[in-house]
Amino acid sequence: MTKLDYVYASATELLTYFRSDPDKILDYLEAIYDRIRKVEAKVRSYITLRSREEVEREAENVVKRLKQGEDLALAGIAVAVKDNISTRGIRTTCASRMLENYVPPYDATAVKLLKESGAVIIGKTNMDEFAMGSTTETSAFFPTRNPWDLERVPGGSSGGSAAALAAGEASLALGSDTGGSVRCPAAFTATVGLKPTYGLVSRFGLIAYASSLDQIGPMARTIADVALLLSVIAVHDPKDSTSIPRNGKTDYYFKLEELMSSRPRLRIAVVKELWRGLEEDVERVLHRILDRICGEHTCDEVSIPITRYALPAYYIIAMAEASSNLARYDGLRYGLHVDVEGRSWIEVFTEVRSRGFGFEVKKRIALGAFILSAGYQEQYYIRALRVRRLLKNEFDRVFKRFDLVALPSMPIKPPRLGEAITDPIKLYTMDIDTVIANLIGSPAISVPAGLAATLPVGIQFMGPPLSEEKLLYAGALVEELRRGAALKPPI
Ligand code: GLN
């Protein structure tokens, strides 16, 4: 076999290679660490990077297991994990001062499944603080930069995971998505990100932002790799009461191959309200790819006027849930430890929360508490829940006639550092096309559609609950259309 480009090879290619020669896993990890040494100072994907020695020791064990004939779905693959997903013995900060020194005593279920499949976790990636943001700039530590243009953001909140993939610092990654946090950075870095159906992947060990919207999502550079990773982490978990009951695992990779050979014709809905207000060059790239997809599949325009209330409904629900979820950071149960000698509870509590949380998090806790306060609940929260229900009804109707909805991932190109963060409206409206999937519990995927000048643009597909196979198939069709145009950043 010829030598692979370890750094940018897909997990699928690497696994075939390792199966015939397990010792190559160690060479591969060395190449990944060399790459990290070269680019990490510029990109800053990781909050915590594990030592090469520690990871090598773990990998040696994987090599041994492979040689003993064990079947390991992700043998030796370097995975980057977002820093709000608990990892036993590895610091998990949520990019917050509040959890700066928190080392979880247990693994999130998704992490446990990764380890069982022979994957090696090489580090914990940067994010917006408590996953609140779309640029990675609300991180309490530092912003991550976009490998396509170091002056721009990689998107967020799972920006570190996406940047690590794009820069060749990991082969697979986990992110989390409450209102777009896997799909936004995927779109901005020309990687693939999937937000699974609510309840498909266990949330056990995922530090909560807005529990009725949160999902852990697989991220990779190719559709096949996302399918592979999803197959490992999509397992019923009794530890998460919202986990969908089912038997065993689904092999999404195999299902994808089947669909790619039988090539069924998809019925795709284009919701016209969701194609408005795009930056011109983003629109051009998206239409070019959509037109080609619609040349081979059946596309129809539909109108869902209520989608204009999705964004306010999302922010009301997300902030209300966040204010309640983040109440646990009081310095006693969780959070910063400060001097308590001779001080009242309220003094200690105030200091912990003033010092522990950044501005965006405080703002959302305050707004969330206001939204839920007596007299205002009916006006905001209850109305937002109604919008959520109506949206669900409307999309249920659409999914009776169509397999999927096609929509932009992000209406704009990746902003420059500092550009979106200083303008809350700009920051929040970036999520206009991603929040719907979370509100209605649907799966959605962002796939690279091409470049607007030199910057990545992503197209999104959303389907009814448990339509992941079809989303992966649609993604693979886009990938096929782009064949030849390798999307590798200049870094
Ligand atoms: N940008 C959105 C927010 O700030 C979504 C974040 C996410 O999905 N975690 O709430």
Side-chain angles (χ1 to χ4, degrees):
M1 204 181 256
T2 51
K3 199 170 180 306
L4 270 184
D5 169 9
Y6 284 134
V7 167
Y8 277 101
S10 69
T12 319
E13 289 169 309
L14 290 167
L15 287 161
T16 319
Y17 199 59
F18 298 159
R19 254 172 223 134
S20 61
D21 189 352
D23 288 316
K24 287 282 187 288
I25 288 175
L26 296 166
D27 298 345
Y28 152 73
L29 288 172
E30 201 179 307
I32 294 283
Y33 271 95
D34 286 346
R35 176 70 180 170
I36 292 173
R37 187 153 14 107
K38 237 170 92 193
V39 297
E40 176 61 8
K42 290 185 232 163
V43 182
R44 307 209 67 186
S45 308
Y46 291 100
I47 291 177
T48 303
L49 186 66
R50 294 180 70 205
S51 80
R52 188 190 279 225
E53 295 70 36
E54 200 179 33
V55 165
E56 260 168 24
R57 258 198 311 277
E58 237 173 69
E60 275 161 16
N61 193 38
V62 173
V63 172
K64 214 179 314 155
R65 284 166 70 191
L66 267 188
K67 286 185 177 166
Q68 284 163 355
E70 251 189 90
D71 187 17
L72 298 170
L74 296 177
I77 301 296
V79 185
V81 175
K82 187 177 182 179
D83 213 18
N84 59 351
I85 302 175
S86 304
T87 40
R88 186 155 71 102
I90 310 172
R91 200 163 70 111
T92 300
T93 68
C94 260
S96 180
R97 295 267 169 234
M98 190 61 97
L99 293 175
E100 195 167 3
N101 299 311
Y102 172 59
V103 179
Y106 66 98
D107 277 326
T109 298
V111 168
K112 181 172 147 270
L113 291 165
L114 281 180
K115 288 184 178 171
E116 283 169 7
S117 72
V120 289
I121 289 156
I122 54 171
K124 303 297 297 288
T125 54
N126 197 23
M127 53 184 277
D128 286 288
E129 186 176 6
F130 281 99
M132 298 176 185
S134 307
T135 64
T136 320
E137 290 166 295
T138 74
S139 166
F141 307 126
F142 48 82
T144 295
R145 289 166 185 266
N146 193 325
W148 287 85
D149 177 347
L150 296 172
E151 294 309 307
R152 293 179 187 264
V153 302
S157 64
S158 317
S161 288
L165 289 170
E169 299 179 288
S171 304
L172 297 175
L174 289 185
S176 73
D177 191 312
T178 304
S181 279
V182 157
R183 291 159 286 154
C184 160
F188 283 172
T189 58
T191 56
V192 185
L194 172 78
K195 198 273 309 170
T197 303
Y198 187 76
L200 188 68
V201 176
S202 170
R203 286 184 296 114
F204 180 76
L206 168 67
I207 297 176
Y209 162 13
S211 312
S212 79
L213 304 160
D214 296 340
Q215 266 294 285
I216 290 177
M219 305 171 78
R221 288 184 296 260
T222 68
I223 293 283
D225 280 4
V226 164
L228 198 67
L229 181 52
L230 183 66
S231 311
V232 169
I233 60 172
V235 177
H236 171 67
D237 182 11
K239 291 198 185 101
D240 170 0
S241 63
T242 59
S243 171
I244 301 171
R246 76 211 98 124
N247 290 326
K249 291 190 178 184
T250 305
D251 189 339
Y252 291 98
Y253 182 78
F254 176 72
K255 300 239 167 164
L256 174 63
E257 283 198 323
E258 265 186 354
L259 286 170
M260 284 307 276
S261 61
S262 65
R263 303 187 78 88
R265 202 179 164 93
L266 291 170
R267 295 161 304 162
I268 300 174
V270 180
V271 182
K272 70 170 190 222
E273 287 82 1
L274 304 177
W275 286 83
R276 289 187 189 141
L278 309 177
E279 265 177 22
E280 218 174 284
D281 45 357
V282 170
E283 186 168 0
R284 220 173 308 126
V285 173
L286 287 171
H287 273 294
R288 201 181 311 139
I289 209 90
L290 185 67
D291 288 350
R292 294 181 68 188
I293 292 280
C294 294
E296 288 169 40
H297 298 265
T298 315
C299 296
D300 255 320
E301 200 176 82
V302 299
S303 167
I304 309 184
I306 187 128
T307 48
R308 62 185 281 235
Y309 298 112
L311 196 65
Y314 166 77
Y315 272 99
I316 288 168
I317 293 168
M319 289 183 193
E321 291 188 23
S323 76
S324 144
N325 269 328
L326 272 59
R328 71 186 65 150
Y329 302 101
D330 53 15
L332 290 179
R333 289 171 295 175
Y334 290 96
L336 270 186
H337 291 292
V338 300
D339 192 14
V340 295
E341 241 0 84
R343 303 172 72 199
S344 72
W345 158 247
I346 200 77
E347 281 169 345
V348 171
F349 186 78
T350 307
E351 185 184 339
V352 165
R353 291 172 71 88
S354 310
R355 279 184 27 205
F357 289 134
F359 177 73
E360 186 66 28
V361 176
K362 284 180 193 157
K363 181 168 82 184
R364 294 191 190 202
I365 292 173
L367 281 169
F370 170 74
I371 285 161
L372 291 175
S373 61
Y376 288 102
Q377 240 197 59
E378 178 67 24
Q379 204 173 333
Y380 297 108
Y381 187 62
I382 306 291
R383 280 167 90 182
L385 292 183
R386 277 196 204 116
V387 169
R388 186 177 194 175
R389 167 52 57 191
L390 291 173
L391 269 171
K392 172 90 179 121
N393 293 349
E394 288 291 315
F395 276 92
D396 278 351
R397 237 197 311 271
V398 169
F399 292 136
K400 282 206 181 97
R401 285 172 50 216
F402 296 93
D403 297 302
L404 305 173
V405 170
L407 63 167
S409 301
M410 286 285 119
I412 57 172
K413 299 186 292 300
R416 286 177 202 286
L417 268 94
E419 202 182 322
I421 195 79
T422 47
D423 179 353
I425 299 293
K426 179 155 191 173
L427 188 68
Y428 296 168
T429 48
M430 275 163 70
D431 304 331
I432 200 143
D433 295 311
T434 50
V435 297
I436 296 171
N438 304 76
L439 285 169
I440 66 175
S442 269
I445 195 168
S446 176
V447 190
L451 298 179
T454 56
L455 297 170
V457 175
I459 187 162
Q460 193 186 176
F461 297 101
M462 178 169 73
L466 301 177
S467 62
E468 276 79 1
E469 290 157 28
K470 278 189 189 156
L471 296 182
L472 291 164
Y473 171 50
L477 295 172
V478 171
E479 204 171 64
E480 197 177 60
L481 288 172
R482 263 194 7 240
R483 199 176 23 210
L487 289 174
K488 217 174 181 185
I491 191 168

Tab-separated table of all heavy atoms in Angstrom, residues 82 130-134 156-157 176-182 209 214 314-315 318 360 364 427-428 431 434-435 438, ligand 1:
chain	number	residue	atom	x	y	z
A	82	LYS	N	-15.188	18.239	22.138
A	82	LYS	CA	-15.550	19.578	22.616
A	82	LYS	C	-15.499	19.620	24.142
A	82	LYS	O	-15.868	18.646	24.803
A	82	LYS	CB	-16.964	19.907	22.122
A	82	LYS	CG	-17.415	21.341	22.393
A	82	LYS	CD	-18.800	21.578	21.805
A	82	LYS	CE	-19.285	22.994	22.010
A	82	LYS	NZ	-20.612	23.222	21.409
A	130	PHE	N	-19.865	27.900	27.770
A	130	PHE	CA	-21.108	27.141	27.960
A	130	PHE	C	-21.903	26.968	26.654
A	130	PHE	O	-23.114	26.845	26.669
A	130	PHE	CB	-21.978	27.761	29.065
A	130	PHE	CG	-21.499	27.402	30.436
A	130	PHE	CD1	-20.718	28.278	31.168
A	130	PHE	CD2	-21.792	26.154	30.979
A	130	PHE	CE1	-20.232	27.929	32.427
A	130	PHE	CE2	-21.314	25.793	32.247
A	130	PHE	CZ	-20.539	26.680	32.971
A	131	ALA	N	-21.205	27.007	25.537
A	131	ALA	CA	-21.791	26.800	24.199
A	131	ALA	C	-22.712	27.945	23.778
A	131	ALA	O	-23.566	27.780	22.915
A	131	ALA	CB	-22.513	25.453	24.096
A	132	MET	N	-22.520	29.115	24.391
A	132	MET	CA	-23.364	30.266	24.057
A	132	MET	C	-22.625	31.198	23.103
A	132	MET	O	-21.826	32.035	23.523
A	132	MET	CB	-23.754	31.011	25.332
A	132	MET	CG	-24.562	30.143	26.267
A	132	MET	SD	-24.894	30.990	27.796
A	132	MET	CE	-25.693	29.672	28.712
A	133	GLY	N	-22.915	31.041	21.820
A	133	GLY	CA	-22.273	31.890	20.833
A	133	GLY	C	-22.125	31.165	19.521
A	133	GLY	O	-22.468	29.979	19.406
A	134	SER	N	-21.639	31.871	18.514
A	134	SER	CA	-21.502	31.281	17.183
A	134	SER	C	-20.140	31.587	16.577
A	134	SER	O	-19.971	31.548	15.358
A	134	SER	CB	-22.580	31.834	16.253
A	134	SER	OG	-23.848	31.672	16.839
A	156	GLY	N	-19.116	28.740	15.634
A	156	GLY	CA	-19.220	28.197	16.972
A	156	GLY	C	-20.612	27.692	17.252
A	156	GLY	O	-21.465	27.762	16.392
A	157	SER	N	-20.855	27.128	18.400
A	157	SER	CA	-19.867	27.160	19.455
A	157	SER	C	-18.820	26.051	19.390
A	157	SER	O	-17.790	26.160	20.049
A	157	SER	CB	-20.578	27.098	20.807
A	157	SER	OG	-21.253	25.868	20.950
A	176	SER	N	-21.268	19.839	20.054
A	176	SER	CA	-22.640	19.786	20.567
A	176	SER	C	-23.426	20.892	19.878
A	176	SER	O	-22.844	21.882	19.433
A	176	SER	CB	-22.675	19.970	22.084
A	176	SER	OG	-22.417	21.318	22.410
A	177	ASP	N	-24.727	20.667	19.754
A	177	ASP	CA	-25.550	21.564	18.943
A	177	ASP	C	-26.869	21.824	19.666
A	177	ASP	O	-27.672	20.922	19.846
A	177	ASP	CB	-25.787	20.883	17.580
A	177	ASP	CG	-26.390	21.801	16.535
A	177	ASP	OD1	-27.382	22.491	16.853
A	177	ASP	OD2	-25.888	21.826	15.382
A	178	THR	N	-27.049	23.073	20.081
A	178	THR	CA	-28.266	23.489	20.778
A	178	THR	C	-29.131	24.324	19.849
A	178	THR	O	-30.359	24.289	19.901
A	178	THR	CB	-27.878	24.297	22.037
A	178	THR	OG1	-27.008	23.500	22.833
A	178	THR	CG2	-29.095	24.724	22.847
A	179	GLY	N	-28.431	25.090	18.972
A	179	GLY	CA	-29.141	25.922	18.005
A	179	GLY	C	-28.322	26.072	16.731
A	179	GLY	O	-28.516	27.010	15.958
A	180	GLY	N	-27.363	25.167	16.542
A	180	GLY	CA	-26.544	25.237	15.333
A	180	GLY	C	-25.055	25.053	15.566
A	180	GLY	O	-24.262	25.135	14.632
A	181	SER	N	-24.678	24.790	16.787
A	181	SER	CA	-23.249	24.811	17.141
A	181	SER	C	-22.365	23.761	16.493
A	181	SER	O	-21.149	23.882	16.548
A	181	SER	CB	-23.087	24.731	18.648
A	181	SER	OG	-23.289	26.000	19.191
A	182	VAL	N	-22.948	22.742	15.883
A	182	VAL	CA	-22.137	21.802	15.114
A	182	VAL	C	-22.142	22.245	13.645
A	182	VAL	O	-21.117	22.240	12.959
A	182	VAL	CB	-22.698	20.363	15.263
A	182	VAL	CG1	-22.292	19.486	14.101
A	182	VAL	CG2	-22.221	19.748	16.575
A	209	TYR	N	-26.728	23.134	28.466
A	209	TYR	CA	-26.989	24.542	28.156
A	209	TYR	C	-28.516	24.684	28.166
A	209	TYR	O	-29.083	25.268	29.096
A	209	TYR	CB	-26.325	24.882	26.821
A	209	TYR	CG	-26.793	26.137	26.105
A	209	TYR	CD1	-27.584	27.102	26.726
A	209	TYR	CD2	-26.390	26.368	24.788
A	209	TYR	CE1	-27.994	28.253	26.036
A	209	TYR	CE2	-26.795	27.514	24.104
A	209	TYR	CZ	-27.604	28.435	24.726
A	209	TYR	OH	-28.001	29.548	24.036
A	214	ASP	N	-30.352	20.540	23.357
A	214	ASP	CA	-28.969	20.047	23.244
A	214	ASP	C	-28.861	18.661	22.604
A	214	ASP	O	-29.615	17.766	22.963
A	214	ASP	CB	-28.333	19.893	24.643
A	214	ASP	CG	-28.166	21.194	25.428
A	214	ASP	OD1	-28.174	22.269	24.825
A	214	ASP	OD2	-28.000	21.110	26.671
A	314	TYR	N	-36.471	30.501	19.716
A	314	TYR	CA	-35.267	29.766	20.147
A	314	TYR	C	-34.561	30.502	21.281
A	314	TYR	O	-34.232	29.909	22.310
A	314	TYR	CB	-34.293	29.571	18.975
A	314	TYR	CG	-32.927	29.141	19.454
A	314	TYR	CD1	-32.700	27.825	19.849
A	314	TYR	CD2	-31.893	30.062	19.595
A	314	TYR	CE1	-31.462	27.435	20.353
A	314	TYR	CE2	-30.658	29.685	20.100
A	314	TYR	CZ	-30.447	28.380	20.472
A	314	TYR	OH	-29.228	27.987	20.988
A	315	TYR	N	-34.303	31.787	21.100
A	315	TYR	CA	-33.529	32.506	22.120
A	315	TYR	C	-34.275	32.605	23.446
A	315	TYR	O	-33.672	32.556	24.519
A	315	TYR	CB	-33.014	33.855	21.590
A	315	TYR	CG	-31.675	33.636	20.918
A	315	TYR	CD1	-31.561	33.519	19.534
A	315	TYR	CD2	-30.529	33.440	21.678
A	315	TYR	CE1	-30.341	33.245	18.929
A	315	TYR	CE2	-29.301	33.171	21.090
A	315	TYR	CZ	-29.206	33.075	19.724
A	315	TYR	OH	-27.991	32.786	19.143
A	318	ALA	N	-34.023	28.949	24.900
A	318	ALA	CA	-32.639	28.620	25.265
A	318	ALA	C	-32.210	29.397	26.515
A	318	ALA	O	-31.594	28.838	27.424
A	318	ALA	CB	-31.701	28.929	24.099
A	360	GLU	N	-21.434	37.202	28.199
A	360	GLU	CA	-22.533	36.605	27.415
A	360	GLU	C	-23.361	35.653	28.285
A	360	GLU	O	-24.589	35.637	28.209
A	360	GLU	CB	-21.951	35.863	26.197
A	360	GLU	CG	-22.984	35.305	25.222
A	360	GLU	CD	-23.806	36.374	24.500
A	360	GLU	OE1	-23.299	37.506	24.298
A	360	GLU	OE2	-24.968	36.083	24.142
A	364	ARG	N	-27.334	36.077	29.449
A	364	ARG	CA	-28.376	35.082	29.151
A	364	ARG	C	-29.051	34.581	30.425
A	364	ARG	O	-30.250	34.300	30.425
A	364	ARG	CB	-27.787	33.931	28.346
A	364	ARG	CG	-27.349	34.413	26.969
A	364	ARG	CD	-27.013	33.257	26.080
A	364	ARG	NE	-26.374	33.720	24.853
A	364	ARG	CZ	-26.340	33.021	23.739
A	364	ARG	NH1	-26.890	31.830	23.692
A	364	ARG	NH2	-25.732	33.495	22.673
A	427	LEU	N	-24.830	38.578	15.637
A	427	LEU	CA	-24.453	37.294	16.225
A	427	LEU	C	-25.653	36.351	16.272
A	427	LEU	O	-25.557	35.199	15.901
A	427	LEU	CB	-23.906	37.525	17.644
A	427	LEU	CG	-23.293	36.314	18.336
A	427	LEU	CD1	-22.002	35.904	17.639
A	427	LEU	CD2	-23.009	36.606	19.800
A	428	TYR	N	-26.790	36.853	16.727
A	428	TYR	CA	-27.949	35.976	16.884
A	428	TYR	C	-28.602	35.633	15.537
A	428	TYR	O	-29.086	34.523	15.367
A	428	TYR	CB	-28.985	36.593	17.847
A	428	TYR	CG	-28.485	36.776	19.276
A	428	TYR	CD1	-29.191	37.534	20.194
A	428	TYR	CD2	-27.305	36.180	19.708
A	428	TYR	CE1	-28.740	37.704	21.506
A	428	TYR	CE2	-26.838	36.345	21.003
A	428	TYR	CZ	-27.548	37.110	21.896
A	428	TYR	OH	-27.101	37.272	23.179
A	431	ASP	N	-27.886	32.467	13.327
A	431	ASP	CA	-28.470	31.153	13.635
A	431	ASP	C	-29.838	30.934	13.009
A	431	ASP	O	-30.501	29.934	13.296
A	431	ASP	CB	-28.615	30.992	15.155
A	431	ASP	CG	-27.300	31.174	15.883
A	431	ASP	OD1	-26.265	30.869	15.276
A	431	ASP	OD2	-27.312	31.629	17.034
A	434	THR	N	-30.438	27.519	11.472
A	434	THR	CA	-30.053	26.295	12.183
A	434	THR	C	-30.961	25.970	13.361
A	434	THR	O	-31.108	24.810	13.726
A	434	THR	CB	-28.591	26.381	12.684
A	434	THR	OG1	-28.407	27.613	13.374
A	434	THR	CG2	-27.607	26.242	11.561
A	435	VAL	N	-31.579	26.996	13.967
A	435	VAL	CA	-32.330	26.750	15.211
A	435	VAL	C	-33.595	25.903	15.006
A	435	VAL	O	-34.056	25.242	15.939
A	435	VAL	CB	-32.724	28.074	15.916
A	435	VAL	CG1	-31.472	28.850	16.336
A	435	VAL	CG2	-33.629	28.925	15.054
A	438	ASN	N	-33.384	22.215	15.967
A	438	ASN	CA	-33.379	21.965	17.414
A	438	ASN	C	-34.763	22.145	18.009
A	438	ASN	O	-35.184	21.374	18.868
A	438	ASN	CB	-32.385	22.899	18.107
A	438	ASN	CG	-30.983	22.781	17.533
A	438	ASN	OD1	-30.721	23.288	16.447
A	438	ASN	ND2	-30.112	22.077	18.216
B	1	GLN	N1	-25.450	30.291	18.598
B	1	GLN	C1	-26.524	29.670	19.321
B	1	GLN	C2	-26.555	30.184	20.735
B	1	GLN	O1	-25.719	30.930	21.066
B	1	GLN	C3	-26.391	28.179	19.293
B	1	GLN	C4	-25.364	27.651	20.223
B	1	GLN	C5	-25.329	26.177	20.297
B	1	GLN	O2	-25.866	25.478	19.438
B	1	GLN	N2	-24.745	25.689	21.373
B	1	GLN	O3	-27.404	29.855	21.502
